[in-house]
Amino acid sequence: MASRHDRSASKKRRLTRACDMCKRKKIRCDGVEMPGNQCTNCLNSKVHCTHVEVLRNLGTAKGYVESLERRLQKLTQLFKKLLPEVDIDQELDDTEDSIDEENERTTAKDEETSILLSYAVNRTLNFAPQRQRYFGKSNALFLIQAVAAQRAHYLGKHPSLNPSFSLKQGEHWAARPWYNPRHRYPTQEYEFPEEDLLKALIDAYFEHENCFLPLLHRPMFEKALQDQVHYHDEMFGGTVLMVCALGARWVDDRRVFTEGVDMAGWSYFDQISLPPPPDGPVSLGEMQMYCLYITYHQLIPTARTMWIYLGTAFRLIQDAGMHMRSPNPPNAQDELWKRVFWCLMFLDISYASVFGHTPTLNYEMFDIDYPIECDDEYWENDAFAQPKDTPSSISFFVQLMKLMQILSYILRVTYAVRRPLHVFTANRLPEAQILAGFDSSLNEWQAALPDSLRWDPRRREESFFRQSAFLHITMYYVQIQAHRPYIPGPDQKHSVMPSLAICSNAALSCMRIVETQKYRGYIENVHILAYLYPAAMILLLRAWSVPVGDTLPSATQEMKFVQVCLDMFKRCQKRPNAPPAFIFW
């Protein structure tokens, strides 16, 4: 208490002013310490101790505020006279709004700081501006930033938001001329198909493949092709070959086959050798080629090895920082990166579910936006102006990825090898509540679908008919995956929820969509085939669950729809360049 009193008294003494006489003589005044505030100097001089001149010079507090207000008013009038086109009041309001929103931008500032720190290190390591590496928040760079900020605070300086670093031992960081793993991979000399076949293959790719996984922007792709970029750019040349390989599945032309190989497009795919990771961040063209390579790789007998390529692709994406939200205004480059990321995400989650693996990236590990729902032809000058009365075909992909995020969460919660580690609590939600949460998420997703993507077997627009069929088959597959582990066995009488009935209804709905497609063309997509396989197994399980003595399993509705699925698989098998449906039956 004594120390607090001392500090208060000291503060009070510092705030007092000398009396009129002491001020004129420029001597120390002790009036605040003397009885009646009469200083020793005035008492010795036998004069009255006054503070009139001090008050006259300073003025009252009220008068001082009024003086400031008058000056502010005059300055405002002067600004309006000199700059009549500037709205001073609006500018001041905007400044106040920016201060109020400061707390809301804390997360954004963290990400911006991360990007700035990444740029600083990239400059230090002499990376080219277009090949920046990304460093996340767990990196020690953030400790460097904290130390720099604390040091600036100690020295009374303003901390820099754009730090720079210097290397004390730069020779250890410099790139070695003898180390470049890509030097062992000479530049590829590609052989492209004839002009007429090349055009047919590109058309087939965009009609049958890019409509579901919209990786490429067709006008930009065709412009680069017209400029013959594929003859001197190795990455774009590889992208063109992979487009040809995927388009070959849909072209009735013997030139897409190689002698002794019964797989369409193999001669194009076989020319691609994915190089090892670069010494700097990967380019957009290389990641597009990666994605197409993985998409084709899923059709060959060793499809499971593509899991390695998917893992590598995501590490390259993270290294380039393209899993994070871009601070830039919408532009074509960022949109193409978003398409690469989400196409890889679809492949990863889909095959994690099919093969019983764990997705590479969890929801908490990225925050990149979904692609803008704008068709390729409306990308004029980065305007992205989709007509209001024209549904976008990209809306399908956005809805598909929202659905895949639900599937990813189901895989983490329901199919984990062991239950997650709970640091602060060992509690886990009841299974019935978890399943109810899954069903609620699916219902909310379905309710938010645009009209163009709702299932209507009589829909005339062929592209939206196929996209809505793809979406709803996937939705029923996700529902089956959520409830399948809770289907009771032959000796079990009770279950957490009527999971078998829910899975059966979802499987029947899948097969009704397939039956509708029979007359308008099946979606011969390897993912759709993979999703239909467990649906058929559920129907078989339901058929063999009838009580003994009732209707024969072969005569049930479920068995009839199993045959619908088999008919589709057989139809796919008859076409030589179709996906390998035979592996499912």
Side-chain angles (χ1 to χ4, degrees):
M1 293 298 291
S3 62
R4 184 186 305 173
H5 175 75
D6 293 341
R7 288 195 300 268
S8 177
S10 175
K11 182 177 181 182
K12 183 177 181 181
R13 284 195 298 270
R14 287 195 300 269
L15 291 176
T16 58
R17 294 180 178 273
C19 67
D20 297 338
M21 189 186 74
C22 293
K23 185 176 181 181
R24 285 194 301 268
K25 293 184 177 181
K26 297 182 180 180
I27 58 178
R28 182 180 180 275
C29 181
D30 60 353
V32 69
E33 302 172 357
M34 299 299 292
N37 293 332
Q38 299 292 314
C39 71
T40 305
N41 298 324
C42 291
L43 291 174
N44 295 334
S45 301
K46 298 181 181 181
V47 299
H48 186 61
C49 190
T50 62
H51 293 77
V52 177
E53 294 183 10
V54 175
L55 294 176
R56 184 184 299 120
N57 293 335
L58 179 62
T60 63
K62 180 179 179 181
Y64 181 66
V65 172
E66 290 175 349
S67 174
L68 288 177
E69 289 177 345
R70 286 193 297 270
R71 289 177 60 84
L72 179 61
Q73 186 177 6
K74 290 180 180 179
L75 284 173
T76 303
Q77 293 174 352
L78 181 62
F79 269 116
K80 290 181 178 180
K81 182 179 179 180
L82 297 177
L83 300 171
E85 69 279 3
V86 178
D87 189 345
I88 301 297
D89 296 332
Q90 182 63 42
E91 293 293 333
L92 292 174
D93 291 341
D94 292 343
T95 302
E96 292 177 0
D97 292 341
S98 64
I99 295 174
D100 293 337
E101 295 172 359
E102 188 68 25
N103 292 334
E104 299 177 4
R105 296 197 299 265
T106 301
T107 303
K109 282 188 175 181
D110 287 345
E111 297 303 334
E112 182 180 357
T113 303
S114 177
I115 294 173
L116 291 173
L117 286 168
S118 299
Y119 286 165
V121 175
N122 279 286
R123 288 195 304 269
T124 305
L125 299 183
N126 296 320
F127 286 140
Q130 68 272 20
R131 298 177 68 80
Q132 296 288 338
R133 269 210 164 94
Y134 174 82
F135 296 90
K137 298 179 189 177
S138 64
N139 192 280
L141 292 175
F142 276 83
L143 286 177
I144 298 176
Q145 177 72 355
V147 172
Q150 188 65 35
R151 179 177 180 271
H153 177 75
Y154 178 83
L155 298 175
K157 299 180 180 180
H158 193 276
S160 173
L161 293 178
N162 192 5
S164 60
F165 302 98
S166 61
L167 297 176
K168 299 300 183 183
Q169 298 180 341
E171 67 276 8
H172 297 297
W173 294 89
R176 301 296 195 274
W178 46 264
Y179 178 74
N180 187 346
R182 294 200 167 194
H183 285 169
R184 298 192 294 270
Y185 288 77
T187 302
Q188 300 289 327
E189 294 184 2
Y190 297 133
E191 294 183 10
F192 299 97
E194 296 84 347
E195 286 299 323
D196 63 322
L197 180 57
L198 177 63
K199 183 180 184 305
L201 293 173
I202 292 174
D203 289 341
Y205 166 79
F206 280 100
E207 180 180 355
H208 297 280
E209 299 286 344
N210 208 68
C211 61
F212 296 126
L213 291 183
L215 175 71
L216 302 178
H217 181 265
R218 185 165 189 173
M220 296 175 65
F221 178 85
E222 292 181 340
K223 177 64 169 59
L225 195 69
Q226 183 180 358
D227 295 341
Q228 298 187 344
V229 177
H230 55 296
Y231 287 120
H232 56 80
D233 188 303
E234 183 179 0
M235 295 305 172
F236 183 69
T239 299
V240 171
L241 281 179
M242 290 311 310
V243 166
C244 293
L246 289 166
R249 296 177 47 222
W250 308 98
V251 174
D252 187 12
D253 192 315
R254 294 303 305 173
R255 289 179 291 177
V256 302
F257 290 96
T258 304
E259 184 177 357
V261 180
D262 61 350
M263 190 166 184
W266 181 259
S267 60
Y268 314 129
F269 173 81
D270 196 39
Q271 296 184 54
I272 305 298
S273 296
L274 291 181
D279 56 352
V282 72
S283 66
L284 172 63
E286 186 167 354
M287 289 312 304
Q288 288 175 331
M289 186 178 70
Y290 244 100
C291 191
L292 293 170
Y293 187 92
I294 294 170
T295 304
Y296 187 90
H297 201 277
Q298 66 190 353
L299 304 173
I300 64 180
T302 58
R304 296 190 68 168
T305 59
M306 75 171 191
W307 196 256
I308 301 173
Y309 297 118
L310 272 171
T312 303
F314 274 115
R315 293 297 176 262
L316 294 174
I317 286 280
Q318 288 179 298
D319 186 58
M322 293 306 167
H323 62 305
M324 306 298 294
R325 181 182 290 111
S326 172
N328 304 320
N331 60 84
Q333 188 81 355
D334 285 346
E335 281 303 304
L336 291 175
W337 271 110
K338 284 195 281 187
R339 290 189 178 192
V340 168
F341 177 86
W342 287 110
C343 285
L344 289 171
M345 181 64 71
F346 170 79
L347 295 171
D348 183 59
I349 297 175
S350 180
Y351 274 94
S353 179
V354 170
F355 291 134
H357 295 308
T358 304
T360 304
L361 291 185
N362 295 332
Y363 179 80
E364 299 83 4
M365 300 170 66
F366 61 90
D367 73 342
I368 189 171
D369 294 325
Y370 290 113
I372 295 177
E373 297 182 32
C374 180
D375 292 337
D376 291 357
E377 56 267 30
Y378 303 115
W379 279 30
E380 291 291 337
N381 300 320
D382 293 344
F384 303 102
Q386 179 78 17
K388 293 183 179 180
D389 57 347
T390 304
S392 172
S393 60
I394 304 299
S395 298
F396 155 80
F397 185 61
V398 173
Q399 296 299 325
L400 177 65
M401 292 317 305
K402 291 179 180 178
L403 187 59
M404 298 309 288
Q405 293 306 304
I406 299 176
L407 176 59
S408 176
Y409 186 69
I410 291 172
L411 296 177
R412 289 174 52 200
V413 174
T414 305
Y415 293 92
V417 176
R418 60 180 178 180
R419 292 188 175 184
L421 176 64
H422 297 276
V423 179
F424 300 105
T425 176
N427 296 330
R428 174 183 166 93
L429 292 176
E431 302 300 324
Q433 190 172 344
I434 293 175
L435 289 175
F438 292 155
D439 290 337
S440 177
S441 298
L442 288 172
N443 290 336
E444 291 176 2
W445 174 87
Q446 190 174 17
L449 283 177
D451 293 338
S452 59
L453 295 176
R454 296 185 181 278
W455 173 243
D456 181 3
R458 295 178 296 276
R459 187 181 298 278
R460 293 184 178 181
E461 303 92 341
E462 187 63 26
S463 61
F464 289 117
F465 172 80
R466 292 167 60 80
Q467 286 184 342
S468 62
F470 194 114
L471 269 183
H472 284 78
I473 290 176
T474 306
M475 181 193 70
Y476 293 125
Y477 168 76
V478 172
Q479 190 173 33
I480 290 173
Q481 290 295 86
H483 284 271
R484 193 181 56 150
Y486 303 100
I487 296 177
D491 300 329
Q492 293 178 292
K493 296 182 179 180
H494 302 286
S495 177
V496 175
M497 290 185 69
S499 295
L500 179 57
I502 293 174
C503 290
S504 299
N505 290 334
L508 288 172
S509 298
C510 275
M511 298 310 169
R512 290 191 180 97
I513 296 175
V514 173
E515 190 176 34
T516 304
Q517 291 180 331
K518 179 179 181 180
Y519 307 101
R520 298 182 60 170
Y522 293 120
I523 300 178
E524 297 182 11
N525 182 283
V526 67
H527 297 277
I528 292 297
L529 296 175
Y531 299 161
L532 290 176
Y533 180 73
M537 294 297 103
I538 291 293
L539 293 179
L540 287 174
L541 183 62
R542 181 73 172 182
W544 286 102
S545 297
V546 297
V548 178
D550 288 0
T551 306
L552 292 176
S554 58
T556 59
Q557 174 186 224
E558 287 79 8
M559 196 64 74
K560 294 178 182 178
F561 277 106
V562 170
Q563 189 60 46
V564 170
C565 185
L566 290 176
D567 291 342
M568 177 185 178
F569 287 173
K570 291 177 181 178
R571 168 67 181 81
C572 291
Q573 185 184 7
K574 288 180 180 179
R575 194 158 63 86
N577 51 353
F582 60 87
I583 65 176
F584 296 110
W585 69 283

